[in-house]
Structures are given as structure tokens and as C-alpha cells.
Amino acid sequence: MTKNPFEFEAAIRFSATEMVDYFVDDNNFARFIQSQRNVFLLGERGTGKTMMLRYYSLPIQVHKNEGDISKIGNSLGIYIPCRNVTLAKSEPELLPKWSRELMSEHLLVVSVVNSIASALIEIENEVLPEEEKSLRKQLEFIFQWELPEDSTIFKSLKSSALRESINIQKVLNSRKPDCFYDNAVTYSSVVVPLIETLLSEISFFRGKHFNLLFDDAEALSSTQNAVLNSWIASRTTSQISFKVATSFVDQQDLTTRTGGELLERHDFIRVDMTQDFQNREASYHRLAKDIVNRRLEKANVSERADDFFPINPEMEKDLKEAEQSAKIKAKQKFPDGTDKQISDYVYKLKRAEYFRSRSPHANLPPYSGFELLVNISTGVIRYLLEPCFEMFDAELSKKKSENIVIKKIEPSTQATILKEMSTRRWEWVRDGFNNSVRGCTNEDALHIFQILDNIALLFKHRLLNHASEPRAITFTISGRDKVEDIDKLDGLIEIARRAQILFMRTSSGKTRDKRISYYTFDRLFWIERGLDPIGQNATVSIEAKYLIEAALHNNKLPVSAENKKHNSQVAEQPDFFT
Amino acid sequence: MYELTEIERLAEQSIVRCYGESEGKALWGGYSNARENALKDILPFISQEEKELTDHGPRHIINVLENAVKLLGQDACIGTDSKTALNANEMYFLVLAILLHDAGNIFGRVNHNTKLEEAYEHCRGAGVDLARERRLLYPIIKAHCGKTASGSKDTIGVLSKSNSFKSHMLDSQRVASILRFADELAEGPQRTSAFMKEHFPPVDESRPYHDYAEVTEITIDRNNSRIVVTYDIDIFFSGSEIDEERLKELLDLCEVRAIKLDLERKYARHYCSLLRPFKQTEISFHFNCNGTPLETNILRIVLDDLVLPEPKKEEKLSDKNAELSYENLISTLKESLKQCV
């Protein structure tokens, strides 16, 4: 049966082979993962954080190098998922402060030890028998755990970590208000000595560096988060570094156990994985193309991304005609204009001309083409793969055969799937949003829908009428200090971001004296409304009061809501997600 | 003109609580007048006299005042137990000393810590009733830099721990320690001006100090028991290629100043128990070219009070981190630059 090459499952579920097959090395981020510095990786769900961390973990690197350990380099990646049952225990949060910190650290340490042991099982053959014997004794001394004799050292360590997890659960189950676990271990009493012992006593580990890769750190409790931050702040050894992946919206604070804070650049560097996708030549477009091409290659499809997802020929022809029309209008508007004036005008208006030339009664445009798909993904890889997956399945089902090679996705299939997905997205916001988004009430869902709906109307109006920036689909919010219930608006924005229907990036304004937040909705929404999801390098400034009125009372956003005097503070459209 | 800083507000509270409404307000009123006079008549004009210096004017004084409360923590400014907090006298002398510690620069940098009398008299007055205050204040200010009469650098050690002022205690050593350390930590871009550097460049001897101020950021992190020094260096210095000579000059100065800062930390901790939480100085270097970060993989350096039972030897930062030796560093930077371009 033909396998769909655009699997977009959460990377945590990929097999080692799939990881190696599907991963595309983005040099922007790989060097950070492999460095010896502490790194915080921030990005929305689906931007590739787990993929990145798992790929550089030891088991995947061993698999990638087909078991040739000599090729794995000096950095040993230990993948530690924070979203796991051991760490999800909420009982420690009910304890007094000191017990809470102790128990939380113990659970975190046990998870780390379990992950280290699991990873090192892949290379246990590199430990010489005499080394293993000595190591076993030393680890028993350090941990004060009995390591089962009937397994290899790392399997024993893993079993012991599991047993510790059970032991502490029993203590927590006792429900004593001040329950205390005598055998609680800490990072400095166990993890550091474990790593130091491995590095000094086992010849294979000499010169290596342990790279602890914490994924989904937003899932940690606040106490666990403070504990982890304390480890990061205290690290002085070059033998261990921390890479912490977390979502933008739910990222936790940087407070340590002592109440201090981690300092960016000094204690860690922050890497934003959300990508600039506004510029066609930007790295995200290249990455997107590489990912899709890789998937096609693995599926034995010889066509490349642009040919596999061709644009509708009619649309392509109409776009070219619109460009000509824009050129004529440019020459009429600037009879003595320079080449640059003409080309700037054409660049801004050519696609708008296409949309404006369509009859108001016409069906939606035949949205298609790889460039469009990349733009619709709004910088999130998962949002690129998901429509590709559905399109492939749809194309396959049309062929009515189980074993067939798909050479391209017909433009009609692309358009149909995009419209269906866009409609489902709108329906979800309208009808099911509050059931699936944490902290969202019925009322919040309605308000968010009304904002989205009215912004869509505003953008539609601009697309059909605006003289210079008709395809702007990014906005800023002005006049925040003039409204009393700005907290309400901010709350709605946070919910929308958490649901990943709204994305935010900050950049310096033209005057460079403050940071400005730029917002864009998931571009898939614009398909159903007949807008141009490709957008242009421009921003619409909308006053906060009008957004609040749109949210609460479903008032239309006035076209003059764009506060023109604020445009001077708006950057030339920033690289949206750099 | 300049709003009261947090430590000044706490000092006022402490003084009024200790001396009562009438006498406390009178004493504080004296400080307020001195403050107004200093900020209006003396401090803004230091740069006219010493053009090449980094900023020693009002902004610097405010910075030192802010540093003082970050060093002490709020509890140490309002408590009543002398083991854990400054008393009212100490708060008063601390803010007054900070206010006037650089006023002598109006007469020139050399021995500025001793040329205080005229500035004090203008700001505070010359009355006989202020003699006791002068006698206690001048040594505190003198101790913030320079040497003792016998040529020793232990300027705080010669101060008295138990003075009396208005029938209450004053530990001059700990006040001087806080002043000195807060002043040492008042470094950063706020002490220089990018515009002035470009259009009225400093003379060659002063240039490294202005460069140093521009690249330095100091964080007083009491809760994490550390002072953090971050150096953010543009290796092009706004030009179009690496200025190696200027870079080396700056790195040498960073080396010297970072180690000096750590020594000041240890010195201050010795004389002021309230500064004991600061157990280490952490230093990190970050390089960029015209704003684009360069990846160098240089780990931070920690200077702490750990003393091993082995003979002491001269330490350089590059002893702690070989990546920071100039030869290694310049080749790393050039490599990183290639990747960046």
C-alpha cells in the first residue's frame, strides 16, 4: 500500500528510522544544539523542537551512523521528555516548601537518570568488562541504590530509577502533610557525580560532553521549573550543558530556587525557532522545500516540491495578466516614474489586481502551488505537512488503487483540500474552541471569533480597495494605554496564541526606541474568505479600542481604524519571525 | 529633576523612625538640600572639567544609589537588627557619601576623593554644627579609592567601626564598603555616549575606557549570590572589518577590570557582612559584528572565594578558560565571522 510521505505526527512518535529519514538539518539551529552552551529553544508547537532534540539524541545518532560509534562525535545528547508520567505527579505541590522542593528535585533527578541510562544502553558495548565492574561499584556507592546484578550496568541503572519512582510514589501516597523521603537524591549528589564518573572512569567517555535535552519544559510544575533553573544557574562544568525546549506562550519564568533569575546571554542563550517566512528567499522557505523534497525522495517520487504541488495553470495565467494590468496602471500613475517606482508599484499591487479582477460572484480562487502552501503554514512546519498529508490522501483515493506512485497533487485537489481545511478551522473557532483550549470560556471563544471575523472583513476591504498595501495581513495594536479594559484584550490574545491560531513576533520600530509586537492569524483562515494568504511586507495598525469593540459587540472595524500616525513607529515589515 | 531613588526613600523612613518626626525631618531636609545643590550646581559640570572621563555626573550618582539597594536588599535598609540591616545613621551617611563621592572631580580627576571640602560646603553648608558630620563623612568618601597616608590600599581598614553620631552608632567601614562596591559596579553604556564617541572621539588614552563602558553590563544578583559581568563586544567597532588592535586593547582592559571587580567584591565582603551573599563573580563574553551575534562557544568564567590548599599563583582569566587567550579567541572569531557572512 502506498505510504503517505507527509506524516505529521508528533516527532516523539517517530521511529529512529523515520527520524533519520525525515530530519532536515537546519544550520540555523543545529549549531546551538551541538554547542556546549545552555540554550533555551522557543517555538510554537509544530515548529520542530522535538524533532531537533530527538535527532541529536544519542540513540538517533547511533542509528543514523548505522551503529558506527566512532562517528557520533563528542556531544552525547540525552533526550529528557518533561511530559512524562513520573514528572506529572502533582502530589509534591501539596507539600510544605522544603519537602516540595526536595521531592520535586528527586523526581526530576530520577527522570534524568532514567534518560541517561536509556541513552547509554545504545553504547553499552563500548564499556569494557573490567570498567563495568568498577563502574557498578562506584554507582552503587554514589546512588546508594542496589543495582540488579542480572542486567548490564545501564539496564540496571534504568531499572533502579524506575524502582525509585515507585518508592517515592509510595511515600507521596502516605498523604502525610510533612512527608519526607530519606533517600531523596539531588542533581549535585547524583547526576553530576554520575557524569563525572563516566567521564573519568570509562575510556569511551573521555573527552565527551553530556548534552541534556529537556523537551516540553512548559509541562514542568513551577517547583520543578525552579529546580531546573537552579541547575542551569549553577553549572560551571564544561562537561554538561542544558538545552531546554519550550513553547512560546506557555514558557515558564526564569526564577531559581533561591528567588534569583537566570540571565539571558550569561546563563543561557535564547533561540527562537519560529521562522521568517515573509521573505521568499528566507531560510524558512528553503527549509520547507528541503523537508518536502526529503519526504518525496524517501517515497521514491522523483518530482520536486514545486512540481509536485503545481499552481493552477489558469491562476498562473491570470496572475501574469494581473501583473501586466498593474504595470499599465503604474505607468498611468507615474508617467515620468523611475523604473524603481514602477517596479515597486507592480510588486505591491500585482497580486491584488488578480483578486480585484475576479467577479464578486465567482467561486473562491483555485488556491494552489507550493509557494502558497509554504505561506499558509505561517512558519510552522506541521502546518505545512498537514495539508500536504491530506492532499496526498485525497489524490490517492481518487486513483482507486492501493499501489500507485503519485507524481503530483492536482491543483484542483490542492484547492479543494485547502478550502475544506480552512472551513474546518473556522468552524472550530466558532463552535468548538472553548472545549479544546485551556482557560477559554464560551464567552472568550465568541469574542475571539468576532475579532477574527472582523479582521477578515477589514483585510478583505483592504485587498479590494487599498491603494498601496492591499495584501497586508499582519497587524499591530495601537492606543493600548487609552483603553481601560486592555487586560481583556490581552487575555483573548493570549488564548488565541495558546491555541496557535494567532502568532506574535516583536521587532524594533523604525524609531528603534521600543519593541513592537506584530500579530498574524493562521493564514489558513484566509482561504475561506478569499483573501491572499501570501500577504505582503506591510502592517496594519489597529487601535485597541476598536478591537475590543469588535470582540465584545461584534462591531465592524472601521477602515479608518488604521491609525495612520502610528505607522511611523512601525518597522519596514520586519523579518516576521527572526 | 531626578526623583528620589528607592534607597533614598528608605533612608528617609529610617531616619524619621530613628530620630522622630521633627529631628528626623530636619536631618533629611539637610540631605535634600545637599542633593538639590549637588545635582544642580556641581555634578552636571564635572564633564566640562574632565572631558575625557566616562560619566561621573547625576546619572552615575543615581546608578550608584540604585546599586546600593540591589546589593543590600530592601530588608537590610529597613531592619532594626544591626547584624542584618544598616541603622539610620548608616543609611544617612551612605546616601550622602554616594551623593558627594565624585564631587571632587570638578577640581580634576587626580586625588578627587580628597578634594571634597568646597563641594561639601556649597551643598551642605559650612556651619560649625556640621563639623562632626564632616569629620565622619570625609574619610568614608576618601576610602572609595586611592591609598591611605601610609601608601596602603586598605583604605577601609583605617576607618572606625564604632563611631557615634547624634548619640547613635555608625560603622564607617561598612558604609564605605557599600559605597566603594556600588561605585565599582556602576559601569556600563550609561557612562558613555555613542554619539559623542562618534563625533567627538576621546583621546587615545581614554578610548579603551569608553569602549569598556559601552560593552559592559553588570547585574547584581543577590538571590543567586553573584555579580554577573557581561561583555558584549562588536569586533568591527562600527567599521567594516575586525579592528584587532582595538579589540586586544579592550580585551586586556576587560581582563584587568573583571579581576579588579572580583577583588573589590572580596574586599567589600570582608568589611561588610551584609555583602556576604555575593560569593562569586561570573563573567561571560559575547561577540558580534555590527549587531550579528557570532557563535564562539566560550563558556562563562566563575571567580569565587574557593581557596585550595596550594601555593597561590597569578591568575588570568584565560587560565580559567583557554578559549579566551587572544590567539585562540581571534582565530575562533574569524572562523565564526566566515560562517556569519
mmCIF file of all heavy atoms in Angstrom, chain B residues 180-195:
data_model
loop_
_atom_site.group_PDB
_atom_site.id
_atom_site.type_symbol
_atom_site.label_atom_id
_atom_site.label_comp_id
_atom_site.label_asym_id
_atom_site.label_seq_id
_atom_site.Cartn_x
_atom_site.Cartn_y
_atom_site.Cartn_z
ATOM 1 N N ARG B 180 31.935 51.918 48.063
ATOM 2 C CA ARG B 180 33.020 51.549 47.148
ATOM 3 C C ARG B 180 32.569 50.481 46.158
ATOM 4 O O ARG B 180 32.841 50.565 44.957
ATOM 5 C CB ARG B 180 34.195 51.047 47.995
ATOM 6 C CG ARG B 180 35.424 50.751 47.194
ATOM 7 C CD ARG B 180 36.574 50.385 48.106
ATOM 8 N NE ARG B 180 37.657 49.869 47.296
ATOM 9 C CZ ARG B 180 38.897 50.344 47.309
ATOM 10 N NH1 ARG B 180 39.212 51.346 48.120
ATOM 11 N NH2 ARG B 180 39.826 49.828 46.541
ATOM 12 N N PHE B 181 31.881 49.471 46.665
ATOM 13 C CA PHE B 181 31.475 48.376 45.799
ATOM 14 C C PHE B 181 30.363 48.807 44.833
ATOM 15 O O PHE B 181 30.379 48.472 43.650
ATOM 16 C CB PHE B 181 31.031 47.183 46.644
ATOM 17 C CG PHE B 181 30.958 45.890 45.886
ATOM 18 C CD1 PHE B 181 31.813 45.615 44.831
ATOM 19 C CD2 PHE B 181 30.031 44.928 46.235
ATOM 20 C CE1 PHE B 181 31.750 44.424 44.120
ATOM 21 C CE2 PHE B 181 29.960 43.716 45.541
ATOM 22 C CZ PHE B 181 30.810 43.471 44.482
ATOM 23 N N ALA B 182 29.419 49.607 45.352
ATOM 24 C CA ALA B 182 28.340 50.091 44.482
ATOM 25 C C ALA B 182 28.903 50.966 43.367
ATOM 26 O O ALA B 182 28.430 50.940 42.228
ATOM 27 C CB ALA B 182 27.303 50.867 45.296
ATOM 28 N N ASP B 183 29.928 51.718 43.696
ATOM 29 C CA ASP B 183 30.575 52.567 42.694
ATOM 30 C C ASP B 183 31.303 51.711 41.659
ATOM 31 O O ASP B 183 31.244 51.967 40.454
ATOM 32 C CB ASP B 183 31.567 53.503 43.400
ATOM 33 C CG ASP B 183 32.167 54.538 42.459
ATOM 34 O OD1 ASP B 183 31.429 55.003 41.567
ATOM 35 O OD2 ASP B 183 33.352 54.874 42.615
ATOM 36 N N GLU B 184 31.980 50.686 42.144
ATOM 37 C CA GLU B 184 32.702 49.791 41.222
ATOM 38 C C GLU B 184 31.745 49.149 40.226
ATOM 39 O O GLU B 184 32.072 48.915 39.065
ATOM 40 C CB GLU B 184 33.414 48.702 42.048
ATOM 41 C CG GLU B 184 34.179 47.689 41.224
ATOM 42 C CD GLU B 184 35.395 48.262 40.516
ATOM 43 O OE1 GLU B 184 35.978 49.238 41.035
ATOM 44 O OE2 GLU B 184 35.748 47.752 39.434
ATOM 45 N N LEU B 185 30.529 48.875 40.697
ATOM 46 C CA LEU B 185 29.561 48.183 39.851
ATOM 47 C C LEU B 185 28.785 49.122 38.935
ATOM 48 O O LEU B 185 27.987 48.674 38.117
ATOM 49 C CB LEU B 185 28.566 47.399 40.729
ATOM 50 C CG LEU B 185 29.202 46.296 41.579
ATOM 51 C CD1 LEU B 185 28.169 45.706 42.532
ATOM 52 C CD2 LEU B 185 29.776 45.201 40.702
ATOM 53 N N ALA B 186 29.013 50.414 39.085
ATOM 54 C CA ALA B 186 28.266 51.375 38.263
ATOM 55 C C ALA B 186 28.991 51.581 36.953
ATOM 56 O O ALA B 186 29.524 52.651 36.664
ATOM 57 C CB ALA B 186 28.101 52.688 39.014
ATOM 58 N N GLU B 187 29.016 50.520 36.186
ATOM 59 C CA GLU B 187 29.711 50.591 34.901
ATOM 60 C C GLU B 187 28.717 50.181 33.832
ATOM 61 O O GLU B 187 27.779 49.430 34.091
ATOM 62 C CB GLU B 187 30.905 49.613 34.925
ATOM 63 C CG GLU B 187 31.857 49.772 33.774
ATOM 64 C CD GLU B 187 32.450 51.170 33.664
ATOM 65 O OE1 GLU B 187 33.455 51.456 34.327
ATOM 66 O OE2 GLU B 187 31.880 51.975 32.906
ATOM 67 N N GLY B 188 28.942 50.680 32.637
ATOM 68 C CA GLY B 188 28.046 50.274 31.558
ATOM 69 C C GLY B 188 27.859 51.383 30.542
ATOM 70 O O GLY B 188 28.465 52.453 30.654
ATOM 71 N N PRO B 189 27.023 51.141 29.527
ATOM 72 C CA PRO B 189 26.849 52.116 28.449
ATOM 73 C C PRO B 189 26.325 53.469 28.941
ATOM 74 O O PRO B 189 26.519 54.486 28.275
ATOM 75 C CB PRO B 189 25.798 51.463 27.548
ATOM 76 C CG PRO B 189 25.840 50.022 27.873
ATOM 77 C CD PRO B 189 26.259 49.916 29.303
ATOM 78 N N GLN B 190 25.700 53.469 30.119
ATOM 79 C CA GLN B 190 25.167 54.727 30.624
ATOM 80 C C GLN B 190 26.278 55.702 30.971
ATOM 81 O O GLN B 190 26.038 56.886 31.190
ATOM 82 C CB GLN B 190 24.262 54.487 31.862
ATOM 83 C CG GLN B 190 24.968 54.052 33.123
ATOM 84 C CD GLN B 190 25.241 52.560 33.184
ATOM 85 O OE1 GLN B 190 25.049 51.867 32.194
ATOM 86 N NE2 GLN B 190 25.697 52.064 34.311
ATOM 87 N N ARG B 191 27.516 55.228 31.048
ATOM 88 C CA ARG B 191 28.629 56.110 31.420
ATOM 89 C C ARG B 191 29.323 56.713 30.206
ATOM 90 O O ARG B 191 30.305 57.442 30.340
ATOM 91 C CB ARG B 191 29.657 55.327 32.243
ATOM 92 C CG ARG B 191 29.056 54.791 33.528
ATOM 93 C CD ARG B 191 30.087 54.526 34.557
ATOM 94 N NE ARG B 191 30.609 55.765 35.111
ATOM 95 C CZ ARG B 191 31.525 55.824 36.058
ATOM 96 N NH1 ARG B 191 32.013 54.716 36.550
ATOM 97 N NH2 ARG B 191 31.961 56.966 36.516
ATOM 98 N N THR B 192 28.830 56.347 29.027
ATOM 99 C CA THR B 192 29.463 56.908 27.838
ATOM 100 C C THR B 192 28.368 57.270 26.858
ATOM 101 O O THR B 192 27.194 57.049 27.109
ATOM 102 C CB THR B 192 30.484 55.895 27.258
ATOM 103 O OG1 THR B 192 31.198 56.518 26.197
ATOM 104 C CG2 THR B 192 29.798 54.665 26.727
ATOM 105 N N SER B 193 28.775 57.828 25.732
ATOM 106 C CA SER B 193 27.779 58.244 24.753
ATOM 107 C C SER B 193 28.259 57.829 23.371
ATOM 108 O O SER B 193 29.348 58.231 22.946
ATOM 109 C CB SER B 193 27.596 59.768 24.812
ATOM 110 O OG SER B 193 27.022 60.232 23.607
ATOM 111 N N ALA B 194 27.460 57.025 22.703
ATOM 112 C CA ALA B 194 27.837 56.561 21.369
ATOM 113 C C ALA B 194 27.955 57.747 20.404
ATOM 114 O O ALA B 194 28.849 57.797 19.557
ATOM 115 C CB ALA B 194 26.810 55.551 20.857
ATOM 116 N N PHE B 195 27.067 58.718 20.606
ATOM 117 C CA PHE B 195 27.077 59.895 19.733
ATOM 118 C C PHE B 195 28.372 60.669 19.932
ATOM 119 O O PHE B 195 29.056 61.034 18.969
ATOM 120 C CB PHE B 195 25.872 60.788 20.050
ATOM 121 C CG PHE B 195 25.832 62.055 19.233
ATOM 122 C CD1 PHE B 195 25.257 62.067 17.980
ATOM 123 C CD2 PHE B 195 26.386 63.239 19.711
ATOM 124 C CE1 PHE B 195 25.218 63.234 17.220
ATOM 125 C CE2 PHE B 195 26.354 64.404 18.964
ATOM 126 C CZ PHE B 195 25.768 64.397 17.709
#
